[in-house]
């Protein structure tokens, strides 16, 4: 990811001007100022500096009567990005044929450039989509596969992506195979060997998560892509939980196909996503919505949706400014700090009964984790936390494997320490009194 300074200059915004431009959003300006001298400290030290994070917390208008620990589903948008979206929507509405079709359609190129800069790819390799599902289905449905060709994924990939492949099984006669992902896992070599052992002469495609949504496990994308490339197999990477949470570039992953949501960890407006396709592979992928033959090598062929509001996409710029001002490494360190708070407390109160489905090593997991408490039913605990404490979580049950099942806890950068404590108190009450 580019430095805060590089990104601002890409957007044509000198750093100071960006901060001062908080005139429409003083709370954003305060949040940005709070990280103005962040380079003088380490992400780990900043993670525990509550006064800075208080400014970030204030930059979100969220319902504080609820403790929202399911930001991995969809995060609130920062208030400044939401304002930007609202303004763009009103502008478009004033004269749609000019403001929407012409002006805003063109302005999307600045968003493409900024996201490409963040990912470290060429803007001509990046399409703006509505979400990770659209990005990934474009690849999973758009790559040619013949009857009998095999696709490999895992037993923990996102259900909609699996549904997509299952539809191809019914429609095109492909064969779907699934690797049983060790959980938690701290052996990347074994993982790569496991995937390789499942390839056959008919395997054409692998679908993997960069960060597994069930547990937060980081998969060794670069090594898996290298292994698959040697075997002539394409790899589609599901980055729904990685972009905006982990710091990485396309070159570090060396992948050819990557899809991500921006409304999870980037805190961009809802209904935003990106699709990266390596330039020379663009012609291979059929778009979901038809495009002209002359567009076959143009990344914009994946954006042929007809009339649509561009306000959300244009406000991605605001979310990127916010993200880079705080700093990707600082964000991740804060998420890990919040995770450590609840893990330590629950370890103290639940002891051996606490089962973590996630390695806490920074090499193997992002900033969230999933847990199960022996003797407590996951779904009953989830419902009890909601009913009695207004704590919102999500849980994973069958068909996910037993070793990955549990409650996933995904705070975000606006989450307060008090909210983490409230969640822990709820679990402790369940430990004392049972779930009811
Ligand atoms: C791993 C994974 N892939 C894809 C998606 C779909 O994301 P979206 O709702 O942005 O399409 C999700 C959503 O939670 C996810 O967790």
């Amino acid at each position: 990811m580019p430095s805060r300074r590089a990104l601002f200059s890409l957007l044509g915004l000198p750093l100071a001007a960006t901060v001062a431009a908080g005139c429409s959003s003083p709370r954003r300006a305060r949040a940005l100022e709070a990280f103005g001298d962040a380079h003088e400290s380490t992400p780990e030290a900043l993670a525990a500096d509550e006064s800075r994070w208080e400014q970030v917390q204030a930059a979100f208008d969220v319902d504080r009567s609820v403790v929202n620990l399911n930001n991995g589903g969809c995060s609130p948008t920062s208030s400044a990005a939401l304002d930007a979206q609202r303004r763009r929507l009103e502008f478009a509405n004033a004269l749609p044929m000019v403001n929407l079709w012409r002006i805003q359609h063109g302005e999307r190129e600045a968003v493409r450039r900024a996201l490409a800069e963040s990912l470290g790819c060429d803007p001509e390799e990046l399409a703006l989509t509505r979400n990770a599902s659209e990005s990934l289905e474009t690849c999973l449905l758009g790559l040619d596969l013949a009857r009998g060709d095999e696709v490999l994924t895992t037993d923990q990939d996102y259900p909609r992506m699996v549904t997509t492949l299952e539809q191809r099984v019914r429609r095109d006669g492909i064969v779907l195979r699934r690797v049983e992902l060790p959980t938690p896992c701290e052996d990347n070599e074994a993982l790569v060997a496991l995937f390789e052992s499942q390839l056959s002469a008919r395997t054409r495609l692998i679908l993997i998560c960069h960060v597994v949504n069930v547990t937060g496990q980081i998969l060794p994308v670069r090594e898996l892509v290298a292994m698959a490339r040697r075997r002539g197999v394409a790899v589609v990477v599901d980055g729904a939980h990685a972009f905006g949470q982990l710091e990485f570039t396309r070159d570090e992953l060396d992948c050819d196909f990557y899809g991500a949501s921006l409304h999870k960890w980037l805190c961009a407006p809802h209904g935003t996503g990106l699709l990266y396709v390596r330039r020379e592979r663009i012609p291979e992928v059929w778009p979901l919505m038809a495009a002209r033959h002359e567009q076959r090598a143009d990344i914009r062929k994946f954006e042929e949706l007809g009339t649509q509001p561009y306000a959300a996409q244009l406000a991605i710029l605001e979310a990127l400014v916010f993200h880079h001002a705080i700093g990707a490494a600082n964000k991740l360190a804060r998420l890990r700090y919040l995770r450590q708070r609840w893990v330590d407390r629950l370890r103290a109160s639940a002891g051996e009964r606490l089962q973590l489905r996630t390695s806490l090593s920074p090499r193997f997991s992002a900033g969230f984790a999933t847990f199960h408490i022996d003797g407590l039913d996951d779904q009953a605990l989830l419902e009890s936390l909601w009913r009695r404490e207004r704590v919102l979580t999500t849980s994973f049950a069958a068909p996910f494997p037993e070793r990955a099942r549990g409650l996933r806890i995904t705070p975000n950068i606006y989450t307060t320490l008090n909210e983490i404590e409230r969640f822990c108190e709820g679990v402790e009450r369940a430990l004392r009194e049972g779930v009811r």
Side-chain angles (χ1 to χ4, degrees):
M1 295 238 174
S3 69
R4 162 188 169 102
R5 199 162 295 278
L7 200 270
F8 287 147
S9 71
L10 178 85
L11 298 174
L13 304 170
L15 193 58
T18 307
V19 174
C23 44
S24 66
S25 177
R27 285 180 298 158
R28 180 193 69 168
R30 279 197 293 279
L32 300 193
E33 271 160 10
F35 284 83
D37 61 354
H39 55 279
E40 292 168 14
S41 199
T42 63
E44 289 67 32
L46 289 172
D49 185 347
E50 287 314 304
S51 61
R52 294 181 200 253
W53 294 100
E54 277 164 18
Q55 301 303 330
V56 174
Q57 290 152 13
F60 287 80
D61 284 300
V62 295
D63 180 352
R64 295 280 179 191
S65 71
V66 167
V67 176
N68 181 356
L69 298 180
N70 190 11
N71 293 278
C74 183
S75 174
T77 305
S78 70
S79 306
L82 198 61
D83 283 348
Q85 180 184 5
R86 208 177 285 124
R87 285 196 304 276
R88 306 280 193 172
L89 199 58
E90 285 170 0
F91 176 71
N93 191 56
L95 188 58
M97 294 302 296
V98 175
N99 297 358
L100 178 68
W101 275 28
R102 212 182 296 156
I103 298 175
Q104 292 192 338
H105 186 271
E107 284 175 350
R108 292 161 64 255
E109 294 306 317
V111 183
R112 189 188 315 281
R113 280 197 301 276
L115 283 172
E117 173 80 6
S118 270
L119 192 58
C121 68
D122 192 299
E124 294 302 319
E125 298 176 308
L126 193 136
L128 302 173
T129 64
R130 291 170 291 187
N131 47 47
S133 302
E134 182 181 342
S135 306
L136 297 164
E137 291 202 35
T138 296
C139 301
L140 299 178
L141 296 173
L143 283 161
D144 281 331
L145 292 173
R147 181 166 292 276
D149 281 350
E150 292 180 13
V151 177
L152 190 61
T153 189
T154 75
D155 58 0
Q156 293 174 39
D157 267 72
Y158 192 63
R160 184 176 297 106
M161 282 34 267
V162 176
T163 300
T164 305
L165 292 169
E166 284 171 345
Q167 183 173 292
R168 283 202 87 166
V169 170
R170 296 195 300 279
R171 187 173 180 180
D172 301 327
I174 66 161
V175 176
L176 180 59
R177 300 204 183 284
R178 301 181 73 174
V179 170
E180 291 180 5
L181 218 50
T183 307
C185 180
E186 296 193 339
D187 187 345
N188 281 345
E189 271 179 32
L191 266 181
V192 177
L194 178 63
F195 274 86
E196 188 157 21
S197 72
Q198 305 290 309
L199 298 184
S200 80
R202 291 303 302 265
T203 311
R204 299 281 175 269
L205 186 67
I206 296 176
L207 166 69
I208 46 163
C209 284
H210 186 180
V211 171
V212 179
N213 74 305
V214 184
T215 59
Q217 173 92 32
I218 300 173
L219 293 187
V221 172
R222 186 182 177 84
E223 292 77 4
L224 285 166
V225 167
M227 177 278 289
R229 199 171 273 145
R230 278 198 306 277
R231 305 279 301 254
V233 176
V235 180
V236 173
V237 184
D238 179 341
H241 283 274
F243 194 84
Q245 183 171 188
L246 293 184
E247 245 189 321
F248 63 94
T249 61
R250 183 276 311 269
D251 285 346
E252 282 160 16
L253 301 183
D254 201 28
C255 61
D256 294 341
F257 307 99
Y258 194 93
S261 325
L262 305 177
H263 43 224
K264 294 184 191 290
W265 299 103
L266 191 67
C267 305
H270 304 157
T272 53
L274 66 79
L275 167 64
Y276 157 78
V277 181
R278 191 179 291 279
R279 192 190 275 262
E280 53 269 32
R281 304 208 67 165
I282 296 172
E284 274 174 64
V285 186
W286 294 93
L288 288 178
M289 301 280 281
R292 285 175 293 113
H293 180 66
E294 302 76 61
Q295 290 173 281
R296 67 191 180 285
D298 184 348
I299 193 75
R300 292 167 194 77
K301 74 179 178 182
F302 300 119
E303 298 170 356
E304 287 289 333
L305 293 183
T307 303
Q308 53 167 319
Y310 295 132
Q313 286 182 350
L314 295 175
I316 292 169
L317 289 177
E318 194 72 36
L320 273 173
V321 166
F322 196 64
H323 174 79
H324 288 285
I326 295 172
N330 298 331
K331 260 178 79 169
L332 182 57
R334 174 68 174 180
L335 293 176
R336 287 184 171 143
Y337 175 77
L338 296 177
R339 179 177 68 181
Q340 201 61 48
R341 297 278 294 209
W342 68 259
V343 167
D344 285 347
R345 182 159 166 181
L346 294 192
R347 264 199 185 130
S349 40
E352 297 288 292
R353 291 176 68 192
L354 179 72
Q355 303 285 330
L356 282 183
R357 306 310 197 192
T358 310
S359 156
L360 298 186
S361 156
R363 204 171 145 219
F364 298 107
S365 71
F368 63 90
T370 298
F371 76 99
H372 167 79
I373 293 193
D374 284 344
L376 292 185
D377 177 77
D378 295 327
Q379 189 58 26
L381 177 58
L382 174 143
E383 282 163 20
S384 164
L385 284 171
W386 175 245
R387 211 175 36 250
R388 301 185 66 178
E389 333 283 342
R390 307 305 279 173
V391 171
L392 182 72
T393 61
T394 191
S395 69
F396 294 96
F400 292 105
E402 185 93 42
R403 64 190 181 283
R405 290 181 204 162
L407 268 65
R408 185 187 69 183
I409 304 305
T410 50
N412 207 338
I413 47 171
Y414 69 83
T415 306
T416 67
L417 291 186
N418 276 345
E419 289 169 333
I420 296 290
E421 301 306 330
R422 210 163 114 199
F423 153 67
C424 292
E425 280 157 23
V427 177
E428 285 164 356
R429 188 206 298 255
L431 282 167
R432 276 193 317 274
E433 303 172 10
V435 281
R436 52 192 173 84

